[in-house]
Amino acid sequence: MSRPSVFGSPLFLGFDHLEQMLDRVAKNADGYPPYNIEQTGDNRLRITLAVAGFAMEDLQITQEDNQLVIRGRQKDDSDGRIFLHRGIAARQFQRAFVLAEGIDVEGAWLDNGLLHVDLRRPQPEVRVKTIPIGGATANGSGISPGPKVNGSARPIVEGRVTRG
């Protein structure tokens, strides 16, 4: 049974990417490995994952579009060993974080079983755009004259030059 679309209303046009992100987050609801997200500065974040038992070569960090994906895969080192109890599982994981537009991954390091990933959110540029206001046309229709065809202006209607 499929769930109803959050953005199924015809008033929400172009929000399908948000719904896809929500689906990705729901699939990533497994609690392993545990993690923290902390603010380390005005525009800086740090993700810390508890990856005890994983070496640097067992971990992979990739950025796929706006998604930060951290994967861990341990090698099976139980050859010749006899476990009376095995409570530390060599389990693989994949943890994904959806990043906002413009977030940069600055670096990552492994320290005492904790994987740290630093992120930076750049300051948004203030952009001011002046929109010219056109006056009414001679015929009073409010339709802006389009490109000149054979020396005379033709009005543009719905992005097309009308033939006169």
Side-chain angles (χ1 to χ4, degrees), residues 85-130:
H85 171 74
R86 186 161 187 173
I88 303 172
R91 129 184 211 196
Q92 65 183 11
F93 71 87
Q94 176 174 313
R95 174 71 69 184
F97 299 91
V98 178
L99 303 177
E101 187 77 23
I103 297 255
D104 294 324
V105 179
E106 288 192 321
W109 73 97
L110 187 62
D111 181 37
N112 294 324
L114 297 174
L115 175 65
H116 303 280
V117 181
D118 280 344
L119 307 170
R120 183 176 59 86
R121 180 182 338 177
Q123 287 285 57
E125 294 178 15
V126 177
R127 296 184 342 196
V128 177
K129 180 179 179 183
T130 302

Side-chain angles (χ1 to χ4, degrees), residues 35-76:
Y35 64 93
N36 292 336
I37 300 176
E38 60 184 301
Q39 185 170 354
T40 59
D42 286 342
N43 295 309
R44 299 192 182 282
L45 301 169
R46 177 173 295 147
I47 300 172
T48 302
L49 283 87
V51 292
F54 285 86
M56 281 195 299
E57 55 270 5
D58 298 335
L59 299 168
Q60 179 186 29
I61 303 172
T62 57
Q63 185 174 352
E64 301 166 5
D65 294 325
N66 65 335
Q67 192 170 16
L68 178 68
V69 180
I70 302 170
R71 294 178 179 92
R73 178 171 295 188
Q74 289 179 313
K75 297 168 193 67
D76 187 16

Side-chain angles (χ1 to χ4, degrees), residues 25-36:
V25 169
K27 289 178 187 174
N28 196 30
D30 180 22
Y32 181 77
Y35 64 93
N36 292 336

